[in-house]
Amino acid sequence: PIPATIALFDQLNVDDQLAYLWYAYTEMGKTITPAAPGVARLQLAESLLTQIKQMSREDQTKVMRDLASRADTPISRSYGFFSVNTKLAFWFELGELMKQGIITPVPVGYQMSPGVKFVLEATQKLDQGQQITVLRNTVVDMGFDTSDLGPS
Ligand code: 45D
């Protein structure tokens, strides 16, 4: 069920992937929060988070779209060096900052697509550990991995 759920996620377009993460975060927030330690890990991500906080609302959204689409940008490259748990902690913090209105929130009235709904429902059928595995898999390949460029 885990690989199947990830395969479904991989078929979503960039905005649907972001929407999926957003709803997974808001729904799992209750269960994840106590476990999400992040403090040490977030120190690594802190400079990226600071940069993003200082951007315009449009650029904030663009950064997240660039991460999801694996665009080659300086921020995507930095993200590519994070460990998988730092990647999760980084997204978690972005979610917190969106909730606080420091980072552009999902537009009011936004309706998730049937595809997003379907992958979310598949995720909800998994147990909590499996859900975290799915989330790890979704964020691990985001950003830009400079090792994909091959030897220089
Ligand atoms: O205009 O270290 C749309 C543990 C379209 C423990 C959009 C853990 C319309 C060890 C796309 C909607 C394993 C528990 C705009 C860690 C439109 C440890 C924008 C785990 C603007 C870390 C959408 C932690 C946007 C876990 C911008 C499981 C969406 C953490 C943004 C999980 C979505 C964290 C965001 C998750 C989602 C965070 C920011 C799932 C964040 C998700």
Side-chain angles (χ1 to χ4, degrees):
I2 294 175
T5 311
I6 293 153
L8 290 172
F9 174 85
D10 285 338
Q11 288 170 33
L12 297 176
N13 66 36
V14 167
D15 273 18
D16 280 356
Q17 292 194 351
L18 286 178
Y20 167 86
L21 274 184
W22 172 254
Y23 289 107
Y25 158 78
T26 52
E27 284 177 33
M28 298 175 70
K30 304 145 201 162
T31 43
I32 293 170
T33 311
V39 183
R41 305 185 199 291
L42 276 173
Q43 281 173 353
L44 294 164
E46 204 177 273
S47 108
L48 276 201
L49 289 164
T50 303
Q51 285 179 58
I52 296 169
K53 283 192 245 182
Q54 289 165 351
M55 290 176 174
S56 70
R57 315 220 116 208
E58 294 73 30
D59 285 349
Q60 290 175 341
T61 304
K62 184 176 182 299
V63 161
M64 290 188 266
R65 287 193 169 119
D66 284 346
L67 288 169
S69 65
R70 304 171 195 182
D72 184 2
T73 67
I75 287 185
S76 285
R77 284 188 181 217
S78 303
Y79 176 95
F81 292 115
F82 293 166
S83 70
V84 66
N85 276 349
T86 300
K87 288 174 179 170
L88 271 178
F90 171 81
W91 281 104
F92 185 85
E93 186 59 19
L94 286 177
E96 294 292 297
L97 293 167
M98 285 171 67
K99 261 202 302 208
Q100 294 163 28
I102 297 169
I103 289 186
T104 343
V106 170
V108 178
Y110 174 80
Q111 299 270 332
M112 62 177 115
S113 73
V116 173
K117 232 177 235 171
F118 190 76
V119 188
L120 268 182
E121 280 163 11
T123 309
Q124 283 158 355
K125 290 184 189 132
L126 305 173
D127 68 38
Q128 205 200 322
Q130 293 174 321
Q131 292 180 353
I132 292 178
T133 302
V134 168
L135 289 172
R136 274 208 178 89
N137 278 277
T138 59
V139 303
V140 73
D141 290 331
M142 290 185 171
F144 187 82
D145 185 349
T146 46
S147 63
D148 288 346
L149 296 172
S152 46

